[in-house]
Amino acid sequence: MLFSKIIKNISAQKTDQRKANLYRKLLRHEAKLGGEVFGPIQPNTRREFFCLDEYTWVWHEEWVDHNGQHQYMTTRYDVRPSGLVKSQNGHYKNVSDAEARNLLNAAKLYRQRISNELYSFVV
Amino acid sequence: MLSGMFGQLIASDSKETFPGLLPENGAQEVARQRLLVTEAAIGNLTRVFGDNHYSEANNTEVLTDEIDKRKKEELRELSLQRAMGDSARQALSEMPTNPVKEDSPIQPSFGTSHDPHLDYVTALADKYYKERLSGVSEL
């Protein structure tokens, strides 16, 4: 009785862990696909764009500058009922009309790509 | 059932970590969860535009409010940390300098409600969480 309870518990923990791992992997893969919605990526550049949760979009870019220095920029868009809050490497920035519209378009393209290329098996 | 890139993604995983990844292993559930999150996120983003009525000017106010809010939060954290620092210094100064001897009739009571220092820390922690929960507007 106790033994089967322990086995059940371990099994449930393993399943949860597996799901958590898969969630992370899927998110990473989505980010890669998302990075492609803005067009071709330059060599020595890594671009990722993904939906973190229901209210947050993240755009991360890494590149090597002219001096061979590794640079990065993480842009986070927090969606609030009253508007958008953008922070770039921890600093708040304003969002222009064009940028906001681009974000919405990018988000829609992102959904299209992940639905077709990653989650087409979901019933 | 598993197709496209998802199939490739699964194939790249070791069998030990993801044995099969059939629906009963939760793959469908997790994928559906991600799709739902994305759908909700796009819904929220679309609502901000309110049928293309997004305006940079209005959004600037939102940004200013957000910065003010964060600044208040940071100030509150800082003052709380200072208060905690002062209290800790005071508590340390009040502590006996000689360690309690093993045969002493007075034994430390760590972990019980009779420890005055512990009571104080507990109260401070409660206050801290209450303040965090109560929001900036009450400051």
Side-chain angles (χ1 to χ4, degrees):
Chain A
M1 185 74 174
L2 180 67
F3 182 71
S4 80
K5 233 182 183 178
I6 291 169
I7 294 291
K8 256 188 189 173
N9 201 12
I10 290 171
S11 174
Q13 279 176 7
K14 268 192 168 180
T15 306
D16 287 347
Q17 187 59 47
R18 212 177 283 146
K19 282 181 184 174
N21 285 341
L22 181 60
Y23 193 93
R24 277 195 292 273
K25 278 188 175 239
L26 289 174
L27 196 58
R28 279 206 295 271
H29 211 75
E30 283 183 30
K32 202 176 152 198
L33 280 176
E36 294 169 8
V37 304
F38 300 94
I41 300 164
Q42 300 293 315
N44 291 328
T45 302
R46 181 176 155 204
R47 182 184 291 156
E48 288 176 342
F49 175 71
F50 61 97
C51 165
L52 181 67
D53 57 38
E54 288 92 335
Y55 303 98
T56 318
W57 293 87
V58 179
W59 175 18
H60 179 79
E61 194 143 331
E62 289 177 34
W63 68 98
V64 178
D65 69 11
H66 302 301
N67 302 320
Q69 296 289 308
H70 183 257
Q71 303 284 349
Y72 77 95
M73 177 75 80
T74 303
T75 308
R76 183 187 162 118
Y77 296 96
D78 288 316
V79 181
R80 303 285 160 85
S82 50
L84 287 172
V85 175
K86 171 187 169 184
S87 59
Q88 222 160 27
N89 284 1
H91 298 284
Y92 289 105
K93 299 273 171 75
N94 207 3
V95 185
S96 70
D97 292 357
E99 184 179 353
R101 215 166 302 284
N102 285 343
L103 174 65
L104 181 61
N105 289 337
K108 285 177 178 172
L109 277 172
Y110 169 88
R111 174 183 53 185
Q112 198 182 326
R113 285 207 62 179
I114 64 163
S115 300
N116 294 341
E117 298 175 38
L118 198 54
Y119 300 125
S120 55
F121 76 99
V122 175
V123 287
Chain B
M1 188 173 282
L2 300 176
S3 64
M5 269 194 199
F6 191 83
Q8 288 171 27
L9 182 71
I10 302 313
S12 68
D13 292 322
S14 71
K15 283 183 180 174
E16 286 78 24
T17 320
F18 297 107
L21 267 176
L22 296 169
E24 61 266 32
N25 286 334
Q28 285 267 347
E29 189 189 326
V30 177
R32 204 174 296 121
Q33 198 182 340
R34 278 303 304 164
L35 274 175
L36 286 174
V37 166
T38 308
E39 278 300 328
I42 288 178
N44 290 331
L45 191 57
T46 309
R47 263 192 290 282
V48 169
F49 285 82
D51 297 325
N52 291 330
H53 286 119
Y54 175 85
S55 102
E56 188 179 348
N58 287 345
N59 202 59
T60 305
E61 287 175 24
V62 176
L63 192 67
T64 311
D65 289 348
E66 180 71 18
I67 292 170
D68 286 348
K69 192 179 144 197
R70 292 280 166 97
K71 273 184 184 164
K72 277 182 186 170
E73 276 175 8
E74 280 166 14
L75 279 173
R76 191 184 54 181
E77 290 266 347
L78 200 67
S79 62
L80 199 62
Q81 277 172 16
R82 278 185 190 148
M84 287 181 89
D86 290 344
S87 307
R89 272 194 292 277
Q90 193 186 342
L92 278 172
S93 69
E94 287 167 3
M95 280 182 80
T97 47
N98 296 327
V100 179
K101 289 176 186 169
E102 278 183 21
D103 57 352
S104 165
I106 306 163
Q107 291 294 326
S109 56
F110 297 117
T112 74
S113 60
H114 303 296
D115 181 346
H117 292 147
L118 192 73
D119 281 346
Y120 185 74
V121 173
T122 310
L124 206 61
D126 282 350
K127 184 172 175 284
Y128 177 75
Y129 281 109
K130 271 178 197 160
E131 280 185 9
R132 276 187 71 89
L133 288 172
S134 65
V136 183
S137 58
E138 287 184 24
L139 278 176

